Amino acid sequence: FAPLENLARAQFAVIIHRMQGEPEMKYTAKFPDVEDEIWYTDAILWAADKKIVNGYSDTGLFGPADNINREQMAVMMYRYAESMGYDVTEKADIGKFEDAASVNAFAEDAMKWAVANGIINGKYEGTKIDPQGNALRGECALIIQRFMEKYEK
């Protein structure tokens, strides 16, 4: 399981895709770095189709092997919840975290939602949210567990 290893963006897309029964996708060249018939292709194309993931705005690449950071994970979970029709209106004030200003604008609503719903908690005794920190595999497992306990009872 390697809980202290970083998680890649493709791996997180695969996790969410599996939560939906791994729907098959017809290949389209949505992202220049996502080729046909790779272990993550259907997951990324499905997540893009459901508007759960986007490519990087500056390159259009998805970055399947890039480490996913905590704010990217929050955004993907937030968009997944939206795609499932779950209530995502509850938001928390994240100003209590020392590094709240480090949350990028595209991830702000998602982080506020994730904190409000107990899906993501602060690190370092609750003092930082660590939005740019790489998400560890163990953190991912905990985030998925909290999400499922909240929404998929």
PDB file of all heavy atoms in Angstrom, residues 95-125:
ATOM      1  N   GLY A  95      -9.649  30.594   6.808  1.00  0.00           N
ATOM      2  CA  GLY A  95      -8.714  31.612   7.272  1.00  0.00           C
ATOM      3  C   GLY A  95      -7.980  31.244   8.551  1.00  0.00           C
ATOM      4  O   GLY A  95      -6.950  31.835   8.858  1.00  0.00           O
ATOM      5  N   LYS A  96      -8.467  30.245   9.266  1.00  0.00           N
ATOM      6  CA  LYS A  96      -7.801  29.818  10.501  1.00  0.00           C
ATOM      7  C   LYS A  96      -6.479  29.105  10.228  1.00  0.00           C
ATOM      8  O   LYS A  96      -5.647  28.964  11.113  1.00  0.00           O
ATOM      9  CB  LYS A  96      -8.721  28.906  11.316  1.00  0.00           C
ATOM     10  CG  LYS A  96      -9.009  27.570  10.652  1.00  0.00           C
ATOM     11  CD  LYS A  96      -9.924  26.701  11.488  1.00  0.00           C
ATOM     12  CE  LYS A  96     -10.181  25.365  10.806  1.00  0.00           C
ATOM     13  NZ  LYS A  96     -11.008  24.489  11.588  1.00  0.00           N
ATOM     14  N   PHE A  97      -6.285  28.659   8.996  1.00  0.00           N
ATOM     15  CA  PHE A  97      -5.048  27.968   8.648  1.00  0.00           C
ATOM     16  C   PHE A  97      -3.987  28.991   8.254  1.00  0.00           C
ATOM     17  O   PHE A  97      -4.252  29.912   7.487  1.00  0.00           O
ATOM     18  CB  PHE A  97      -5.277  26.984   7.500  1.00  0.00           C
ATOM     19  CG  PHE A  97      -6.256  25.899   7.829  1.00  0.00           C
ATOM     20  CD1 PHE A  97      -7.535  25.903   7.295  1.00  0.00           C
ATOM     21  CD2 PHE A  97      -5.909  24.873   8.695  1.00  0.00           C
ATOM     22  CE1 PHE A  97      -8.443  24.911   7.602  1.00  0.00           C
ATOM     23  CE2 PHE A  97      -6.814  23.866   9.019  1.00  0.00           C
ATOM     24  CZ  PHE A  97      -8.084  23.890   8.470  1.00  0.00           C
ATOM     25  N   GLU A  98      -2.779  28.818   8.775  1.00  0.00           N
ATOM     26  CA  GLU A  98      -1.678  29.754   8.524  1.00  0.00           C
ATOM     27  C   GLU A  98      -1.377  29.936   7.040  1.00  0.00           C
ATOM     28  O   GLU A  98      -0.918  30.993   6.625  1.00  0.00           O
ATOM     29  CB  GLU A  98      -0.398  29.263   9.218  1.00  0.00           C
ATOM     30  CG  GLU A  98      -0.464  29.265  10.720  1.00  0.00           C
ATOM     31  CD  GLU A  98       0.757  28.608  11.356  1.00  0.00           C
ATOM     32  OE1 GLU A  98       1.721  28.247  10.628  1.00  0.00           O
ATOM     33  OE2 GLU A  98       0.752  28.442  12.581  1.00  0.00           O
ATOM     34  N   ASP A  99      -1.634  28.906   6.257  1.00  0.00           N
ATOM     35  CA  ASP A  99      -1.295  28.941   4.838  1.00  0.00           C
ATOM     36  C   ASP A  99      -2.522  29.046   3.927  1.00  0.00           C
ATOM     37  O   ASP A  99      -2.452  28.718   2.749  1.00  0.00           O
ATOM     38  CB  ASP A  99      -0.448  27.730   4.457  1.00  0.00           C
ATOM     39  CG  ASP A  99      -1.114  26.410   4.792  1.00  0.00           C
ATOM     40  OD1 ASP A  99      -2.182  26.408   5.439  1.00  0.00           O
ATOM     41  OD2 ASP A  99      -0.568  25.370   4.393  1.00  0.00           O
ATOM     42  N   ALA A 100      -3.628  29.534   4.460  1.00  0.00           N
ATOM     43  CA  ALA A 100      -4.862  29.649   3.674  1.00  0.00           C
ATOM     44  C   ALA A 100      -4.661  30.499   2.421  1.00  0.00           C
ATOM     45  O   ALA A 100      -5.267  30.229   1.375  1.00  0.00           O
ATOM     46  CB  ALA A 100      -5.986  30.221   4.524  1.00  0.00           C
ATOM     47  N   ALA A 101      -3.810  31.501   2.499  1.00  0.00           N
ATOM     48  CA  ALA A 101      -3.559  32.374   1.343  1.00  0.00           C
ATOM     49  C   ALA A 101      -2.852  31.632   0.210  1.00  0.00           C
ATOM     50  O   ALA A 101      -2.810  32.120  -0.921  1.00  0.00           O
ATOM     51  CB  ALA A 101      -2.741  33.589   1.763  1.00  0.00           C
ATOM     52  N   SER A 102      -2.317  30.446   0.478  1.00  0.00           N
ATOM     53  CA  SER A 102      -1.640  29.651  -0.547  1.00  0.00           C
ATOM     54  C   SER A 102      -2.602  28.831  -1.403  1.00  0.00           C
ATOM     55  O   SER A 102      -2.182  28.212  -2.377  1.00  0.00           O
ATOM     56  CB  SER A 102      -0.633  28.696   0.103  1.00  0.00           C
ATOM     57  OG  SER A 102       0.354  29.421   0.788  1.00  0.00           O
ATOM     58  N   VAL A 103      -3.869  28.812  -1.019  1.00  0.00           N
ATOM     59  CA  VAL A 103      -4.861  28.085  -1.818  1.00  0.00           C
ATOM     60  C   VAL A 103      -5.107  28.892  -3.087  1.00  0.00           C
ATOM     61  O   VAL A 103      -5.451  30.067  -3.024  1.00  0.00           O
ATOM     62  CB  VAL A 103      -6.175  27.881  -1.029  1.00  0.00           C
ATOM     63  CG1 VAL A 103      -7.235  27.240  -1.906  1.00  0.00           C
ATOM     64  CG2 VAL A 103      -5.930  27.056   0.233  1.00  0.00           C
ATOM     65  N   ASN A 104      -4.923  28.264  -4.231  1.00  0.00           N
ATOM     66  CA  ASN A 104      -5.170  28.930  -5.504  1.00  0.00           C
ATOM     67  C   ASN A 104      -6.653  29.197  -5.687  1.00  0.00           C
ATOM     68  O   ASN A 104      -7.492  28.462  -5.169  1.00  0.00           O
ATOM     69  CB  ASN A 104      -4.651  28.088  -6.674  1.00  0.00           C
ATOM     70  CG  ASN A 104      -3.149  28.151  -6.793  1.00  0.00           C
ATOM     71  OD1 ASN A 104      -2.578  29.226  -6.926  1.00  0.00           O
ATOM     72  ND2 ASN A 104      -2.502  26.995  -6.745  1.00  0.00           N
ATOM     73  N   ALA A 105      -6.976  30.251  -6.435  1.00  0.00           N
ATOM     74  CA  ALA A 105      -8.367  30.673  -6.633  1.00  0.00           C
ATOM     75  C   ALA A 105      -9.232  29.535  -7.181  1.00  0.00           C
ATOM     76  O   ALA A 105     -10.374  29.364  -6.753  1.00  0.00           O
ATOM     77  CB  ALA A 105      -8.424  31.883  -7.552  1.00  0.00           C
ATOM     78  N   PHE A 106      -8.691  28.725  -8.104  1.00  0.00           N
ATOM     79  CA  PHE A 106      -9.488  27.655  -8.695  1.00  0.00           C
ATOM     80  C   PHE A 106      -9.886  26.589  -7.675  1.00  0.00           C
ATOM     81  O   PHE A 106     -10.835  25.832  -7.892  1.00  0.00           O
ATOM     82  CB  PHE A 106      -8.759  27.004  -9.883  1.00  0.00           C
ATOM     83  CG  PHE A 106      -7.675  26.023  -9.490  1.00  0.00           C
ATOM     84  CD1 PHE A 106      -7.975  24.693  -9.262  1.00  0.00           C
ATOM     85  CD2 PHE A 106      -6.366  26.436  -9.349  1.00  0.00           C
ATOM     86  CE1 PHE A 106      -6.985  23.785  -8.903  1.00  0.00           C
ATOM     87  CE2 PHE A 106      -5.364  25.546  -9.002  1.00  0.00           C
ATOM     88  CZ  PHE A 106      -5.681  24.213  -8.778  1.00  0.00           C
ATOM     89  N   ALA A 107      -9.171  26.519  -6.559  1.00  0.00           N
ATOM     90  CA  ALA A 107      -9.407  25.477  -5.563  1.00  0.00           C
ATOM     91  C   ALA A 107     -10.080  25.990  -4.297  1.00  0.00           C
ATOM     92  O   ALA A 107     -10.393  25.206  -3.404  1.00  0.00           O
ATOM     93  CB  ALA A 107      -8.083  24.813  -5.193  1.00  0.00           C
ATOM     94  N   GLU A 108     -10.327  27.279  -4.212  1.00  0.00           N
ATOM     95  CA  GLU A 108     -10.819  27.857  -2.963  1.00  0.00           C
ATOM     96  C   GLU A 108     -12.161  27.271  -2.519  1.00  0.00           C
ATOM     97  O   GLU A 108     -12.308  26.855  -1.369  1.00  0.00           O
ATOM     98  CB  GLU A 108     -10.908  29.375  -3.091  1.00  0.00           C
ATOM     99  CG  GLU A 108     -11.098  30.054  -1.748  1.00  0.00           C
ATOM    100  CD  GLU A 108     -10.947  31.558  -1.837  1.00  0.00           C
ATOM    101  OE1 GLU A 108     -10.075  32.043  -2.583  1.00  0.00           O
ATOM    102  OE2 GLU A 108     -11.712  32.226  -1.142  1.00  0.00           O
ATOM    103  N   ASP A 109     -13.148  27.238  -3.396  1.00  0.00           N
ATOM    104  CA  ASP A 109     -14.451  26.672  -3.016  1.00  0.00           C
ATOM    105  C   ASP A 109     -14.325  25.208  -2.621  1.00  0.00           C
ATOM    106  O   ASP A 109     -14.959  24.761  -1.670  1.00  0.00           O
ATOM    107  CB  ASP A 109     -15.462  26.813  -4.159  1.00  0.00           C
ATOM    108  CG  ASP A 109     -16.047  28.208  -4.263  1.00  0.00           C
ATOM    109  OD1 ASP A 109     -15.893  29.007  -3.303  1.00  0.00           O
ATOM    110  OD2 ASP A 109     -16.652  28.514  -5.306  1.00  0.00           O
ATOM    111  N   ALA A 110     -13.518  24.464  -3.363  1.00  0.00           N
ATOM    112  CA  ALA A 110     -13.336  23.043  -3.070  1.00  0.00           C
ATOM    113  C   ALA A 110     -12.696  22.833  -1.704  1.00  0.00           C
ATOM    114  O   ALA A 110     -13.121  21.950  -0.940  1.00  0.00           O
ATOM    115  CB  ALA A 110     -12.499  22.385  -4.156  1.00  0.00           C
ATOM    116  N   MET A 111     -11.682  23.624  -1.378  1.00  0.00           N
ATOM    117  CA  MET A 111     -11.039  23.481  -0.074  1.00  0.00           C
ATOM    118  C   MET A 111     -11.994  23.866   1.052  1.00  0.00           C
ATOM    119  O   MET A 111     -12.050  23.192   2.081  1.00  0.00           O
ATOM    120  CB  MET A 111      -9.756  24.320  -0.006  1.00  0.00           C
ATOM    121  CG  MET A 111      -8.619  23.766  -0.849  1.00  0.00           C
ATOM    122  SD  MET A 111      -8.062  22.124  -0.339  1.00  0.00           S
ATOM    123  CE  MET A 111      -6.854  22.563   0.890  1.00  0.00           C
ATOM    124  N   LYS A 112     -12.756  24.932   0.850  1.00  0.00           N
ATOM    125  CA  LYS A 112     -13.726  25.343   1.863  1.00  0.00           C
ATOM    126  C   LYS A 112     -14.776  24.261   2.078  1.00  0.00           C
ATOM    127  O   LYS A 112     -15.171  23.972   3.210  1.00  0.00           O
ATOM    128  CB  LYS A 112     -14.390  26.656   1.458  1.00  0.00           C
ATOM    129  CG  LYS A 112     -13.472  27.852   1.550  1.00  0.00           C
ATOM    130  CD  LYS A 112     -14.163  29.112   1.066  1.00  0.00           C
ATOM    131  CE  LYS A 112     -13.258  30.329   1.218  1.00  0.00           C
ATOM    132  NZ  LYS A 112     -13.929  31.559   0.737  1.00  0.00           N
ATOM    133  N   TRP A 113     -15.220  23.643   0.995  1.00  0.00           N
ATOM    134  CA  TRP A 113     -16.191  22.547   1.073  1.00  0.00           C
ATOM    135  C   TRP A 113     -15.579  21.336   1.785  1.00  0.00           C
ATOM    136  O   TRP A 113     -16.198  20.751   2.671  1.00  0.00           O
ATOM    137  CB  TRP A 113     -16.653  22.165  -0.338  1.00  0.00           C
ATOM    138  CG  TRP A 113     -17.284  20.826  -0.425  1.00  0.00           C
ATOM    139  CD1 TRP A 113     -18.576  20.503  -0.114  1.00  0.00           C
ATOM    140  CD2 TRP A 113     -16.660  19.609  -0.823  1.00  0.00           C
ATOM    141  NE1 TRP A 113     -18.782  19.157  -0.310  1.00  0.00           N
ATOM    142  CE2 TRP A 113     -17.613  18.591  -0.750  1.00  0.00           C
ATOM    143  CE3 TRP A 113     -15.368  19.285  -1.254  1.00  0.00           C
ATOM    144  CZ2 TRP A 113     -17.334  17.269  -1.076  1.00  0.00           C
ATOM    145  CZ3 TRP A 113     -15.084  17.969  -1.580  1.00  0.00           C
ATOM    146  CH2 TRP A 113     -16.057  16.983  -1.493  1.00  0.00           C
ATOM    147  N   ALA A 114     -14.351  20.957   1.390  1.00  0.00           N
ATOM    148  CA  ALA A 114     -13.709  19.779   1.969  1.00  0.00           C
ATOM    149  C   ALA A 114     -13.478  19.948   3.470  1.00  0.00           C
ATOM    150  O   ALA A 114     -13.684  19.017   4.252  1.00  0.00           O
ATOM    151  CB  ALA A 114     -12.392  19.494   1.252  1.00  0.00           C
ATOM    152  N   VAL A 115     -13.099  21.146   3.899  1.00  0.00           N
ATOM    153  CA  VAL A 115     -12.884  21.412   5.329  1.00  0.00           C
ATOM    154  C   VAL A 115     -14.223  21.417   6.067  1.00  0.00           C
ATOM    155  O   VAL A 115     -14.362  20.807   7.125  1.00  0.00           O
ATOM    156  CB  VAL A 115     -12.111  22.736   5.535  1.00  0.00           C
ATOM    157  CG1 VAL A 115     -12.119  23.159   7.001  1.00  0.00           C
ATOM    158  CG2 VAL A 115     -10.684  22.602   5.023  1.00  0.00           C
ATOM    159  N   ALA A 116     -15.229  22.069   5.499  1.00  0.00           N
ATOM    160  CA  ALA A 116     -16.544  22.152   6.148  1.00  0.00           C
ATOM    161  C   ALA A 116     -17.151  20.781   6.375  1.00  0.00           C
ATOM    162  O   ALA A 116     -17.848  20.557   7.369  1.00  0.00           O
ATOM    163  CB  ALA A 116     -17.500  23.005   5.308  1.00  0.00           C
ATOM    164  N   ASN A 117     -16.876  19.847   5.476  1.00  0.00           N
ATOM    165  CA  ASN A 117     -17.469  18.520   5.558  1.00  0.00           C
ATOM    166  C   ASN A 117     -16.551  17.477   6.181  1.00  0.00           C
ATOM    167  O   ASN A 117     -16.858  16.292   6.168  1.00  0.00           O
ATOM    168  CB  ASN A 117     -17.927  18.082   4.163  1.00  0.00           C
ATOM    169  CG  ASN A 117     -19.143  18.867   3.732  1.00  0.00           C
ATOM    170  OD1 ASN A 117     -20.252  18.605   4.185  1.00  0.00           O
ATOM    171  ND2 ASN A 117     -18.948  19.878   2.894  1.00  0.00           N
ATOM    172  N   GLY A 118     -15.407  17.930   6.729  1.00  0.00           N
ATOM    173  CA  GLY A 118     -14.498  17.017   7.415  1.00  0.00           C
ATOM    174  C   GLY A 118     -13.771  16.064   6.493  1.00  0.00           C
ATOM    175  O   GLY A 118     -13.233  15.060   6.938  1.00  0.00           O
ATOM    176  N   ILE A 119     -13.755  16.363   5.209  1.00  0.00           N
ATOM    177  CA  ILE A 119     -13.094  15.490   4.249  1.00  0.00           C
ATOM    178  C   ILE A 119     -11.590  15.742   4.251  1.00  0.00           C
ATOM    179  O   ILE A 119     -10.791  14.824   4.152  1.00  0.00           O
ATOM    180  CB  ILE A 119     -13.717  15.669   2.849  1.00  0.00           C
ATOM    181  CG1 ILE A 119     -15.176  15.160   2.906  1.00  0.00           C
ATOM    182  CG2 ILE A 119     -12.924  14.950   1.769  1.00  0.00           C
ATOM    183  CD1 ILE A 119     -16.031  15.554   1.739  1.00  0.00           C
ATOM    184  N   ILE A 120     -11.205  17.003   4.395  1.00  0.00           N
ATOM    185  CA  ILE A 120      -9.799  17.376   4.561  1.00  0.00           C
ATOM    186  C   ILE A 120      -9.687  18.169   5.852  1.00  0.00           C
ATOM    187  O   ILE A 120     -10.473  19.087   6.091  1.00  0.00           O
ATOM    188  CB  ILE A 120      -9.281  18.209   3.369  1.00  0.00           C
ATOM    189  CG1 ILE A 120      -9.205  17.325   2.125  1.00  0.00           C
ATOM    190  CG2 ILE A 120      -7.912  18.817   3.680  1.00  0.00           C
ATOM    191  CD1 ILE A 120      -8.681  18.031   0.885  1.00  0.00           C
ATOM    192  N   ASN A 121      -8.733  17.781   6.672  1.00  0.00           N
ATOM    193  CA  ASN A 121      -8.473  18.482   7.928  1.00  0.00           C
ATOM    194  C   ASN A 121      -7.109  19.138   7.864  1.00  0.00           C
ATOM    195  O   ASN A 121      -6.308  18.843   6.986  1.00  0.00           O
ATOM    196  CB  ASN A 121      -8.495  17.494   9.104  1.00  0.00           C
ATOM    197  CG  ASN A 121      -9.858  16.871   9.291  1.00  0.00           C
ATOM    198  OD1 ASN A 121     -10.879  17.487   9.026  1.00  0.00           O
ATOM    199  ND2 ASN A 121      -9.877  15.627   9.740  1.00  0.00           N
ATOM    200  N   GLY A 122      -6.845  19.992   8.802  1.00  0.00           N
ATOM    201  CA  GLY A 122      -5.542  20.633   8.870  1.00  0.00           C
ATOM    202  C   GLY A 122      -4.456  19.655   9.270  1.00  0.00           C
ATOM    203  O   GLY A 122      -4.713  18.621   9.875  1.00  0.00           O
ATOM    204  N   LYS A 123      -3.248  20.004   8.907  1.00  0.00           N
ATOM    205  CA  LYS A 123      -2.069  19.232   9.286  1.00  0.00           C
ATOM    206  C   LYS A 123      -1.299  20.016  10.348  1.00  0.00           C
ATOM    207  O   LYS A 123      -1.612  21.172  10.607  1.00  0.00           O
ATOM    208  CB  LYS A 123      -1.170  19.028   8.059  1.00  0.00           C
ATOM    209  CG  LYS A 123      -1.802  18.165   6.975  1.00  0.00           C
ATOM    210  CD  LYS A 123      -0.996  18.166   5.704  1.00  0.00           C
ATOM    211  CE  LYS A 123       0.216  17.296   5.762  1.00  0.00           C
ATOM    212  NZ  LYS A 123       0.880  17.166   4.445  1.00  0.00           N
ATOM    213  N   TYR A 124      -0.295  19.406  10.898  1.00  0.00           N
ATOM    214  CA  TYR A 124       0.573  20.066  11.870  1.00  0.00           C
ATOM    215  C   TYR A 124      -0.268  20.652  13.008  1.00  0.00           C
ATOM    216  O   TYR A 124      -0.266  21.846  13.251  1.00  0.00           O
ATOM    217  CB  TYR A 124       1.451  21.132  11.199  1.00  0.00           C
ATOM    218  CG  TYR A 124       2.112  20.631   9.944  1.00  0.00           C
ATOM    219  CD1 TYR A 124       1.720  21.097   8.694  1.00  0.00           C
ATOM    220  CD2 TYR A 124       3.098  19.648  10.010  1.00  0.00           C
ATOM    221  CE1 TYR A 124       2.312  20.606   7.528  1.00  0.00           C
ATOM    222  CE2 TYR A 124       3.693  19.161   8.854  1.00  0.00           C
ATOM    223  CZ  TYR A 124       3.290  19.641   7.621  1.00  0.00           C
ATOM    224  OH  TYR A 124       3.868  19.153   6.466  1.00  0.00           O
ATOM    225  N   GLU A 125      -1.028  19.760  13.640  1.00  0.00           N
ATOM    226  CA  GLU A 125      -1.912  20.117  14.762  1.00  0.00           C
ATOM    227  C   GLU A 125      -2.972  21.128  14.353  1.00  0.00           C
ATOM    228  O   GLU A 125      -3.361  22.009  15.121  1.00  0.00           O
ATOM    229  CB  GLU A 125      -1.092  20.596  15.960  1.00  0.00           C
ATOM    230  CG  GLU A 125      -0.173  19.503  16.495  1.00  0.00           C
ATOM    231  CD  GLU A 125       0.683  19.947  17.655  1.00  0.00           C
ATOM    232  OE1 GLU A 125       0.432  21.027  18.242  1.00  0.00           O
ATOM    233  OE2 GLU A 125       1.604  19.201  18.004  1.00  0.00           O
TER     234      GLU A 125
END
